[in-house]
Amino acid sequence: MYQDLFRNASFWLFLFSIDEDLARRTREKACACGGRLHCANYPRKPRGGGNLPEQYDYRLSFCCDRDGCRKRVTPPSVRFLGRKVYLGAVVVLVAAMRQGPSPRRVAELSRLFGVDRRTIERWRVFWEEHVPQTPFWKVARGRLVPAVETVVLPLFLLNRFLSGGDPRQDFPSWKRLLCFLSPITITGTPSIEVLG
Ligand SMILES: [Zn+2]
């Protein structure tokens, strides 16, 4: 099922192409000081995916070229959820599969996705306790959720964005979901696009 998606090199290349677009837009804006942004990618060793293209050895990032500034500017990403080791799509999906009327057991998810139980528990805390407090979610929920409604994260987002077709084929829906989440770990006021 979903494990197949996460072994699909086309899926990972698709997400990388979105990250390239996000990075291009960031670079065009230049540094706040007026300096130009130079490539200064972070090395990464992401987990949770199979057949990962070599572009997954790094996260796209920039550094200002002006002496005295040298500020680092990291664009939003649909591949990486901040500093989490596991790929963002995996962190969303596995956490969501613990939720809902027929949650999957931790042992089963651990076996299917190769994630240890403690990590799955940390993701629960991340989604249920950390994310609702972020500036990102405070802005984002107003775009998605009627004021009175309580939501369970991330299941709510998965249902909201991925409802419909076969989630293993439906790359555009993953794009919308992961683009929506991409400002989550960027500092400053989030600008949130709800596409489609
Ligand atoms: Zn600068």
Side-chain angles (χ1 to χ4, degrees), residues 31-35 64 66 69-71:
C31 181
C33 80
C64 175
R66 280 208 182 155
C69 180
R70 300 281 177 198
K71 188 173 176 256

Tab-separated table of all heavy atoms in Angstrom, residues 31-35 64 66 69-71, ligand 1:
chain	number	residue	atom	x	y	z
A	31	CYS	N	18.581	38.293	-0.090
A	31	CYS	CA	18.651	38.472	1.366
A	31	CYS	C	18.009	39.807	1.741
A	31	CYS	O	17.975	40.744	0.946
A	31	CYS	CB	20.103	38.442	1.811
A	31	CYS	SG	20.296	38.640	3.604
A	32	ALA	N	17.526	39.915	2.986
A	32	ALA	CA	16.914	41.165	3.452
A	32	ALA	C	17.895	42.335	3.376
A	32	ALA	O	17.491	43.486	3.218
A	32	ALA	CB	16.396	40.989	4.873
A	33	CYS	N	19.198	42.061	3.474
A	33	CYS	CA	20.213	43.132	3.421
A	33	CYS	C	20.494	43.566	1.991
A	33	CYS	O	21.244	44.512	1.761
A	33	CYS	CB	21.508	42.659	4.080
A	33	CYS	SG	22.541	41.622	3.019
A	34	GLY	N	19.920	42.885	1.035
A	34	GLY	CA	20.177	43.205	-0.373
A	34	GLY	C	21.243	42.322	-0.999
A	34	GLY	O	21.480	42.389	-2.201
A	35	GLY	N	21.896	41.504	-0.184
A	35	GLY	CA	22.945	40.623	-0.703
A	35	GLY	C	22.377	39.492	-1.540
A	35	GLY	O	21.181	39.178	-1.458
A	64	CYS	N	23.814	34.312	2.459
A	64	CYS	CA	24.044	35.648	1.892
A	64	CYS	C	25.529	35.843	1.601
A	64	CYS	O	26.377	35.410	2.371
A	64	CYS	CB	23.552	36.698	2.882
A	64	CYS	SG	23.907	38.390	2.356
A	66	ARG	N	27.176	38.696	1.434
A	66	ARG	CA	27.769	39.942	1.936
A	66	ARG	C	28.523	39.734	3.243
A	66	ARG	O	27.957	39.210	4.200
A	66	ARG	CB	26.684	40.985	2.186
A	66	ARG	CG	26.256	41.653	0.913
A	66	ARG	CD	25.759	43.059	1.159
A	66	ARG	NE	25.324	43.620	-0.104
A	66	ARG	CZ	24.434	44.597	-0.224
A	66	ARG	NH1	23.890	45.129	0.851
A	66	ARG	NH2	24.108	45.036	-1.408
A	69	CYS	N	27.086	40.023	6.932
A	69	CYS	CA	25.723	39.482	7.005
A	69	CYS	C	25.808	37.962	7.017
A	69	CYS	O	25.671	37.333	8.052
A	69	CYS	CB	24.857	39.977	5.853
A	69	CYS	SG	23.175	39.310	5.927
A	70	ARG	N	26.074	37.386	5.856
A	70	ARG	CA	26.248	35.928	5.744
A	70	ARG	C	25.072	35.154	6.320
A	70	ARG	O	25.222	34.046	6.811
A	70	ARG	CB	27.539	35.468	6.460
A	70	ARG	CG	28.799	36.101	5.913
A	70	ARG	CD	29.249	35.441	4.638
A	70	ARG	NE	30.425	36.119	4.081
A	70	ARG	CZ	30.837	35.992	2.834
A	70	ARG	NH1	30.172	35.199	2.013
A	70	ARG	NH2	31.884	36.625	2.409
A	71	LYS	N	23.926	35.780	6.276
A	71	LYS	CA	22.751	35.144	6.860
A	71	LYS	C	22.360	33.889	6.080
A	71	LYS	O	22.425	33.867	4.859
A	71	LYS	CB	21.599	36.146	6.826
A	71	LYS	CG	20.371	35.718	7.558
A	71	LYS	CD	19.358	36.879	7.599
A	71	LYS	CE	18.081	36.425	8.256
A	71	LYS	NZ	16.986	36.168	7.376
B	1	ZN	ZN	22.479	39.431	3.802
